[in-house]
């Protein structure tokens, strides 16, 4: 049976095929997105001419090593396609949870400037319904007065844990913010999105509602256990 990493690589390679000469391409962050950046880098080495817009410092460093020309978001008016990973995908809507890698603010800024947001996942990430009461939503908050912000989240019913580094220091995003990983009472994801958008001190959060145009899913084909197949999911409503 293909491993999870092998499935991710299949989805990443499929997504890289969507990139064409002359495109401005948003380059996502995280383990799956990095595989797509590497696949795009191989195509650049073969002569593909594109420009990338990275969503994190780690992605910028990887793209530079692969000799992918880069722009900042301020240097382009519109991005043709962005390829990124996701932590959980709702099958019918393609609403997603992102940001467990810590780059959610820049990922959402790049996605918002993109004509077509394509997400790549293995089959384990696809669910019938996002469940904010079970799966933590990353919430990026301003460090100044952060405990007050945490209190406002608690007042909404959230249970939060401050994200820490491996050496038990507060995790700090590329933008200099903290992240609280929050679960909520049994609201639907759209309601949680609305609530978080109105909390003072919240910079951004990991619910991407109505943004993805396509999700490329790699899964075991169920017949040959050494091979994978690709699903192209699009929102049904």
């Amino acid at each position: 049976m293909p491993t999870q990493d092998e499935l991710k690589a299949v989805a990443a390679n499929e997504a890289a095929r969507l990139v064409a000469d002359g495109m401005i391409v948003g380059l996502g962050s995280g383990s799956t997105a990095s595989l797509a950046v590497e696949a795009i880098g191989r195509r650049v080495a073969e002569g593909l001419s594109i420009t990338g817009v990275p969503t994190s410092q780690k992605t910028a460093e990887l793209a530079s090593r692969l000799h992918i020309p880069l722009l900042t978001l301020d240097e382009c008016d519109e991005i043709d396609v962005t390829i990124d990973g996701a932590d959980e995908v709702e099958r019918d809507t393609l609403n997603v949870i992102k940001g467990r890698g810590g780059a959610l603010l820049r990922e959402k800024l790049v996605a918002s400037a993109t004509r077509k947001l394509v997400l790549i996942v293995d089959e384990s990430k696809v669910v019938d319904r996002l469940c904010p009461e079970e799966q933590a939503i990353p919430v990026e908050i301003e460090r100044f007065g952060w405990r007050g912000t945490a209190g406002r989240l608690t007042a909404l019913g959230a249970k939060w844990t401050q994200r820490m580094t491996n050496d038990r220091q507060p995790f700090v995003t590329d933008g200099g913010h903290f992240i609280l990983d929050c679960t909520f009472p049994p609201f639907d994801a759209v309601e949680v999105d609305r609530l978080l958008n109105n909390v003072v001190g919240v910079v951004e959060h990991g619910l991407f509602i109505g943004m993805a145009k396509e999700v490329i899913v790699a899964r075991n084909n169920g017949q040959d256990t050494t091979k994978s197949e690709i699903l192209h999911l699009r929102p049904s409503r």
Side-chain angles (χ1 to χ4, degrees), residues 141-154 160 162:
I141 64 170
E142 173 59 50
R143 290 166 70 175
F144 180 80
W146 77 271
R147 288 197 175 277
T149 303
R152 287 185 282 275
L153 291 169
T154 299
W160 57 267
Q162 185 177 11

Side-chain angles (χ1 to χ4, degrees), residues 35-211:
L35 293 172
V37 175
E38 290 171 356
I40 292 168
R42 289 192 291 272
R43 294 194 60 201
V44 168
E46 294 168 356
L48 178 71
S49 178
I50 60 103
T51 306
V53 179
T55 56
S56 66
Q57 186 59 39
K58 285 185 178 179
T59 298
E61 292 168 357
L62 174 61
S64 294
R65 290 197 300 271
L66 295 169
H67 306 291
I68 299 173
L70 297 178
L71 290 173
T72 67
L73 187 57
D74 289 328
E75 293 174 316
C76 59
D77 295 326
E78 188 176 58
I79 297 169
D80 295 297
V81 63
T82 290
I83 299 172
D84 208 345
D87 300 306
E88 194 167 78
V89 178
E90 191 170 75
R91 188 184 309 276
D92 289 338
T93 65
L94 302 195
N95 293 334
V96 304
I97 297 173
K98 285 180 52 56
R100 291 179 188 153
L104 57 149
L105 172 59
R106 295 188 182 187
E107 287 174 330
K108 193 174 281 190
L109 286 168
V110 169
S112 296
T114 299
R115 292 170 56 197
K116 183 176 183 179
L117 173 62
V118 177
L119 301 177
I120 51 177
V121 298
D122 67 85
E123 60 185 336
S124 70
K125 302 298 178 65
V126 180
V127 298
D128 291 331
R129 186 179 75 88
L130 298 182
C131 297
E133 68 270 30
E134 297 176 5
Q135 297 296 329
I137 310 297
V139 180
E140 188 163 345
I141 64 170
E142 173 59 50
R143 290 166 70 175
F144 180 80
W146 77 271
R147 288 197 175 277
T149 303
R152 287 185 282 275
L153 291 169
T154 299
L156 294 178
K159 296 181 180 179
W160 57 267
T161 302
Q162 185 177 11
R163 189 174 298 187
M164 309 295 282
T165 64
N166 289 336
D167 58 358
R168 305 307 301 163
Q169 297 300 309
F171 178 90
V172 178
T173 69
D174 284 351
H177 306 123
F178 288 157
I179 289 181
L180 303 182
D181 291 304
C182 301
T183 57
F184 289 85
F187 304 138
D188 68 26
V190 173
E191 176 67 5
V192 174
D193 173 69
R194 185 190 68 80
L195 291 170
L196 289 174
N197 288 340
N198 289 295
V199 175
V200 175
V202 169
V203 178
E204 196 46 86
H205 58 80
L207 285 167
F208 285 49
I209 303 296
M211 300 184 77

